[in-house]
Amino acid sequence: MAAEIAFWICLAGLAYIYAGYPLLVMLLARLLPKSVAKGAVGEPFSIVIIGYNEAARLTRKLDNLLSCEGADRIAEILVASDGSTDDTARLLAAYPDPRVLGFVFAERRGKPACLNELIPLCRSEFIVLNDMRQQLEPSSLVQLVDNFADPAVGVVSGELRFLSGESNSTSAEGIGAYWAYEKWIRKSEGAFASVPGATGAIYALRRSLFRPIPHTTLLDDVAIPMQIVTQGYRCVFETNAIAWDEPSRTATQEAIRKRRTIAGAAQLAWLFPGWLLPWRNPIWLQFVSHKLLRLVSPLFLLGVLAAHLCLLDHPFYRYLMAAHVVVYVAGLTGWLCQRLGRRSRPLGIPWMFLSLNFTTFVALCDALRGRFRTTWQRAA
């Protein structure tokens, strides 16, 4: 009886995390839609970029920003070199547009410390935060900022899209499918209330609502928007503000990114315990369901497996084991395709599901042991 109860509780937990909650927010978005009064915002805006050893991308990135629609409304581009040891400082000083302002920090402190220093220096009320790696669609900046015509909007998240091609791997296919699923959830969350976080590669905020975050924060793109949401403003998702990137080609590359992200989600509960209280967090449902419950997903997976093995004496559970085996066999086959250099989208999905759950478990252990690293570790 105990094994049977544990089996169904763990299975229900997984069902809610990956299907129940996404369907719930989709339903809420349709039944209780809250539109955004988007319109032309004529005010200038600032752009802030933080980078470490990004000399190879710097000029192309600045050229991309200054060629976007509405570039004449860019008041300034503040670029922080966070302890870089390459030619970043020289390239910043040599860039011909006077709106590009370089801030060269000798010591590498991490993105949160740089944001805390640069955002208050911005002259504009509207600030676009951008990463160095991604290239923007021409209309992305205008699409972001025009959401601020609605006075209830405090943060606007853009959308990260992945380039695809014949060279994509099984892991890349799985990651692409995962991001499509994530964007579906975020779009629904923003349509009826707020998204519990933003896309770090491209989002915008009101400077007057910014509050400094702890220097040890791993997920500044969740901490900053959530601080604004808890002040009573909305964080909305703008699908027309697009940043293009390449997906991780291997599960190892994605694991580095995901391990940090998941550990950062656990860290948020420690840094901002008030967000765990529904009367202090206006989007408590989204924050807990989207950000925190996924931390226990691998525990639910292990619970389902362990309980299922204890129930094989019952014919019903023996038949049900076939479906259980299919998931793991499909995941392992996806791993084999990845190792052999084969490309398979159907097998990439279960492979990345199992891989990311394993990464979640490792990241949760990192969080419990306090193994947080603020500076970004770049994948090879």
Side-chain angles (χ1 to χ4, degrees):
M1 179 64 71
E4 195 166 12
I5 292 172
F7 175 84
W8 289 108
I9 288 176
C10 291
L11 191 61
L14 289 169
Y16 175 75
I17 292 169
Y18 294 106
Y21 172 69
L23 292 173
L24 174 62
V25 291
M26 182 188 71
L27 183 63
L28 289 171
R30 292 185 178 182
L31 296 178
L32 303 170
K34 187 182 293 184
S35 62
V36 176
K38 188 177 177 182
V41 176
E43 295 182 38
F45 55 89
S46 301
I47 299 175
V48 173
I49 307 173
I50 314 298
Y52 167 71
N53 282 353
E54 294 285 6
R57 298 188 177 112
L58 177 61
T59 301
R60 181 169 179 254
K61 179 65 181 183
L62 294 174
D63 290 346
N64 173 237
L65 290 172
L66 292 170
S67 66
C68 285
E69 295 175 19
D72 57 319
R73 290 162 53 190
I74 299 176
E76 57 194 352
I77 303 177
L78 283 68
V79 182
S81 173
D82 185 27
S84 299
T85 57
D86 59 4
D87 286 339
T88 297
R90 182 182 63 80
L91 292 174
L92 281 172
Y95 197 80
D97 196 304
R99 291 175 293 176
V100 175
L101 308 175
F103 295 81
V104 179
F105 301 113
E107 180 185 355
R108 190 179 183 194
R109 300 175 298 166
K111 187 176 180 181
C114 295
L115 290 175
N116 286 342
E117 193 159 337
L118 262 62
I119 289 177
L121 298 178
C122 293
R123 292 180 289 145
S124 307
E125 169 65 359
F126 307 132
I127 301 173
V128 176
L129 302 182
N130 209 206
D131 283 347
M132 196 74 73
R133 188 174 67 249
Q134 297 83 11
Q135 295 287 291
L136 303 187
E137 278 289 298
S139 64
S140 293
L141 297 176
V142 171
Q143 293 288 349
L144 271 183
V145 175
D146 282 354
N147 283 272
F148 292 122
D150 189 330
V153 173
V155 186
V156 186
S157 173
E159 177 178 338
L160 184 66
R161 291 189 187 177
F162 290 113
L163 300 166
S164 61
E166 293 302 318
S167 61
N168 274 6
S169 63
T170 295
S171 289
E173 291 289 347
I175 293 163
Y178 168 79
W179 271 101
Y181 165 79
E182 268 290 304
K183 286 183 285 188
W184 170 55
I185 297 174
R186 295 182 189 188
K187 185 177 180 180
S188 296
E189 291 171 331
F192 86 93
S194 289
V195 186
T199 302
I202 176 171
Y203 72 104
L205 56 93
R206 295 181 187 267
R207 180 175 57 84
S208 58
L209 301 178
F210 172 75
R211 301 291 181 269
I213 58 176
H215 287 193
T216 56
T217 305
L218 296 179
L219 299 184
D220 59 272
D221 51 3
V222 178
I224 292 174
M226 281 296 299
Q227 285 192 328
I228 293 175
V229 167
T230 54
Q231 294 177 57
Y233 292 83
R234 294 179 66 192
C235 175
V236 298
F237 188 62
E238 176 55 69
T239 57
N240 294 314
I242 301 166
W244 289 100
D245 202 355
E246 290 191 5
S248 305
R249 297 192 179 276
T250 68
T252 301
Q253 287 179 327
E254 181 64 9
I256 292 173
R257 186 196 68 81
K258 197 65 179 175
R259 183 171 175 177
R260 176 188 173 88
T261 299
I262 295 163
Q267 184 201 39
L268 289 173
W270 175 263
L271 293 176
F272 305 97
W275 296 351
L276 302 178
L277 305 175
W279 56 89
R280 293 185 60 182
N281 185 349
I283 57 167
W284 178 86
L285 174 69
Q286 296 96 302
F287 180 70
V288 172
S289 298
H290 195 165
K291 296 298 180 184
L292 298 186
L293 283 184
R294 288 193 185 181
L295 299 175
V296 297
S297 173
L299 304 182
F300 283 149
L301 273 177
L302 291 173
V304 168
L305 180 59
H308 209 164
L309 293 174
C310 295
L311 293 168
L312 293 181
D313 290 341
H314 300 265
F316 171 75
Y317 289 100
R318 282 202 298 271
Y319 291 125
L320 199 58
M321 179 57 81
H324 205 150
V325 169
V326 166
V327 173
Y328 286 93
V329 169
L332 291 173
T333 306
W335 169 80
L336 184 61
C337 287
Q338 175 70 23
R339 296 283 294 179
L340 296 176
R342 302 289 180 87
R343 177 183 177 183
S344 173
R345 185 179 183 86
L347 294 174
I349 294 172
W351 161 230
M352 288 312 301
F353 173 76
L354 296 177
S355 173
L356 293 179
N357 267 280
F358 174 76
T359 302
T360 299
F361 180 79
V362 175
L364 187 57
C365 293
D366 288 344
L368 292 174
R369 291 182 291 173
R371 294 180 61 185
F372 301 128
R373 181 177 177 180
T374 306
T375 53
W376 176 252
Q377 180 184 356
R378 185 177 299 170

